[in-house]
Amino acid sequence: MSSLNEVLRSHGVHQRPLRTAIALLADGWIRFDELIRRAAVPRRSVEELLESLGSDLERDGNSLRLQPSAVSSYAEFGPRTGKNGPELLAKVSALIEHVPPPLPALDHVQATAETVVRRAEWLDAQYELGGARLMFLGDHDLTSLAVHALRPDAELTVVDLDERVLAYVDERSGGAVRTLHADLRIGLPHAVLGSADLVFSDPPYTPEGMGLFAARGIEALAEPPLGRLLLAYGYSPRHPALGAQVQQELMRLGLTFEAILPDFHSYHGAQAIGAAADLYVCQPTARARKQKVKQGIYTHGPQSVESSGPSAALMDRVREIADRPVVETPRPDWSKPINGKPDVALAFDLTGDPGPWLLRLLLATNASRVAILVPNSHPDLVNADAQAALLDLIGSKYQLKLLRSLPDNKHAVVVADAVDSPALPLTRAHARLGNLPNIPTPLHPYRLIDLPRHHLPQTLP
């Protein structure tokens, strides 16, 4: 079957229609045109498949079948039974029951357990997931865990901004699902660029959010025209212009709509759009490209499309608190090292931080002093335990002063002073960990800046 295996491998995750064609041939005589119609496979692909079957294929005029003596050799191509049904639904329901609470600032709206199971079963039915590389851009709904339950042989990766989700997926999958941290406005982790066969995402439903997540999905695909980008998106039928905006944004990126499955997703919430969304199956064209990144992509919170950011007076107070000459960086970008100069402080505005950005900025920045404006309710500052956890992670690089209720009762300022002889991994957060000493082998392909927070202690002295 070496010739057949080569044909199947050339179709990657899109083998399922070819496998259906083989099952039809195993059932008995079928006309060539009927085989094309029922398997929904292009004529040239069917011809390549038939040629690969060699002497196992029997012909009678325009009809074909597998030789009866060879049928048993093709048993794996028969209908799939799987382990779907109530058992999987119960498992997913239990997982969702304990998932970290949704963050409105990240546009989290929980999909129903039935929706998560439907996603997993549809992916398994539509694509050949055995050995496939499937990436989830954000996964508060836990679709990755449902797919893992169905197809443990699939290679799954979750990239998320929410550290809580990454830790939960890692724990519940026993480490079988790879987890990496990223703010998609900044970029994908280097280790996963061009690495996926399929990308699934339920992005923020603004045109900016849909466009950004779709652009990162294109970057994640190993061979964009052969891959597929699967997106959840819904809009109110009372506002079709919003739907048109999003679709235009996706087309501008060079995506074509292979299918739009209506009301595929159902949610606990999102009543403005009827608590439902469609599944967009998008194929990148040869001209698929990145877009210019926009900061405001969400519908709620300080990083919403309408958010105006802090006042100049607040940043003036941060510069005063820094108590030395200041270089201000209004838009932090921790995709690359941020280096300061001796006796000069760096000042940053992180008033829109839902939680993860403060640590990432401290990892990315190498400066004698850093002053950062954050919300007074920042998760790393809200109580003594949270503050101690942050100090434990960053203490071998920076000594921190956590000035709450400054400059006002809605904000806080974090002042970080570099320690003498800081720890090497913390000062080279963008280096491949395999190039640094005393790093566990499983972490070698990654950079410190991309690791989920709960993995960081493995790299620190």
Side-chain angles (χ1 to χ4, degrees):
M1 287 191 182
S2 60
S3 181
L4 172 61
N5 289 334
E6 288 178 10
V7 169
L8 293 175
R9 278 196 298 270
S10 70
H11 286 261
V13 294
H14 306 289
Q15 299 177 20
R16 190 54 53 81
L18 294 179
R19 290 175 173 268
T20 298
I22 294 173
L24 291 169
L25 291 167
D27 284 342
W29 291 106
I30 184 170
R31 291 177 56 85
F32 179 74
D33 55 350
E34 182 73 1
L35 182 63
I36 291 174
R37 186 184 66 79
R38 292 181 60 184
V41 178
R43 179 187 182 95
R44 182 61 187 136
S45 297
V46 170
E47 290 171 344
E48 291 173 349
L49 175 68
L50 297 178
E51 183 178 349
S52 73
L53 295 173
S55 60
D56 289 341
L57 182 69
E58 185 176 358
R59 298 175 183 268
D60 183 3
N62 200 36
S63 297
L64 314 106
R65 71 172 181 179
L66 285 175
Q67 295 279 5
S69 59
V71 167
S72 61
S73 300
Y74 295 84
E76 66 175 287
F77 298 99
R80 301 191 58 183
T81 55
K83 51 180 178 182
N84 310 356
E87 181 181 348
L88 180 60
L89 180 59
K91 182 173 183 177
V92 170
S93 297
L95 289 168
I96 290 176
E97 184 178 353
H98 300 288
V99 72
L103 290 178
L106 298 183
D107 281 7
H108 284 167
V109 180
Q110 184 64 55
T112 66
E114 291 82 2
T115 291
V116 176
V117 170
R118 186 182 308 120
R119 291 171 177 174
E121 292 180 339
W122 186 88
L123 287 165
D124 189 38
Q126 188 73 18
Y127 304 107
E128 184 55 41
L129 296 185
R133 300 165 297 176
L134 177 54
M135 186 180 300
F136 299 85
L137 299 183
D139 195 31
H140 186 269
D141 291 334
L142 308 180
T143 306
S144 64
L145 296 180
V147 173
H148 177 63
L150 272 180
R151 293 304 302 265
D153 52 345
E155 183 180 317
L156 308 179
T157 298
V158 171
V159 176
D160 206 306
L161 175 65
D162 191 339
E163 302 277 13
R164 308 167 309 153
V165 169
L166 295 172
Y168 189 78
V169 169
D170 201 4
E171 174 196 353
R172 293 308 178 104
S173 71
V177 177
R178 177 172 60 170
T179 56
L180 292 171
H181 182 275
D183 183 333
L184 297 186
R185 297 170 311 150
I186 303 297
L188 285 172
H190 285 193
V192 298
L193 289 168
S195 68
D197 302 307
L198 301 167
V199 175
F200 180 92
S201 187
D202 194 340
Y205 286 176
T206 62
E208 295 82 1
M210 293 294 296
L212 172 62
F213 276 63
R216 297 304 186 210
I218 293 168
E219 293 177 36
L221 289 171
E223 298 181 75
L226 297 181
R228 293 296 184 273
L229 184 56
L230 309 155
L231 301 171
Y233 175 63
Y235 62 92
S236 169
R238 299 168 65 91
H239 303 288
L242 181 58
Q245 278 185 272
V246 167
Q247 292 175 4
Q248 288 168 2
E249 183 71 14
L250 297 178
M251 289 188 290
R252 188 182 69 81
L253 290 170
L255 294 171
T256 183
F257 303 143
E258 188 173 71
I260 299 177
L261 308 183
D263 298 334
F264 188 92
H265 314 274
S266 182
Y267 299 93
H268 297 292
Q271 294 182 357
I273 58 171
D278 304 335
L279 176 62
Y280 281 55
V281 184
C282 301
Q283 180 182 14
T285 64
R287 68 179 185 88
R289 58 184 176 86
K290 296 192 298 182
Q291 70 161 8
K292 183 179 179 181
V293 173
K294 300 177 181 178
Q295 290 289 294
I297 61 171
Y298 299 107
T299 57
H300 303 93
Q303 287 300 316
S304 65
V305 175
E306 296 84 4
S307 179
S308 59
S311 68
L314 286 176
M315 289 307 296
D316 286 343
R317 287 287 290 124
V318 173
R319 286 188 285 272
E320 291 176 15
I321 293 169
D323 194 30
R324 65 172 63 175
V326 169
V327 174
E328 183 180 342
T329 304
R331 179 187 169 191
D333 179 356
W334 51 88
S335 63
K336 51 187 179 296
I338 305 171
N339 297 315
K341 297 179 180 180
D343 302 320
V344 174
L346 298 181
F348 297 96
D349 161 31
L350 285 189
T351 51
D353 184 4
W357 302 346
L358 175 59
L359 174 61
R360 299 294 150 180
L361 188 58
L362 291 170
L363 290 174
T365 304
N366 293 305
S368 59
R369 175 170 291 179
V370 184
I372 307 170
L373 182 68
V374 298
N376 208 30
S377 58
H378 192 283
D380 282 330
L381 276 63
V382 289
N383 55 47
D385 288 343
Q387 294 174 15
L390 178 63
L391 290 169
D392 284 345
L393 285 175
I394 208 71
S396 57
K397 181 179 183 180
Y398 286 121
Q399 183 180 3
L400 300 183
K401 295 177 184 177
L402 308 177
L403 307 176
R404 300 197 68 195
S405 299
L406 285 175
D408 58 28
N409 60 7
K410 293 183 179 180
H411 297 91
V413 176
V414 176
V415 179
D417 287 305
V419 303
D420 295 332
S421 303
L424 180 61
L426 289 172
T427 59
R428 298 189 60 190
H430 298 83
R432 187 173 175 271
L433 288 169
N435 296 328
L436 302 178
N438 304 317
I439 301 296
T441 302
L443 300 179
H444 282 186
Y446 310 115
R447 307 178 305 169
L448 190 73
I449 199 74
D450 300 326
L451 291 183
R453 185 172 183 148
H454 65 281
H455 282 319
L456 293 180
Q458 302 175 47
T459 70
L460 303 180

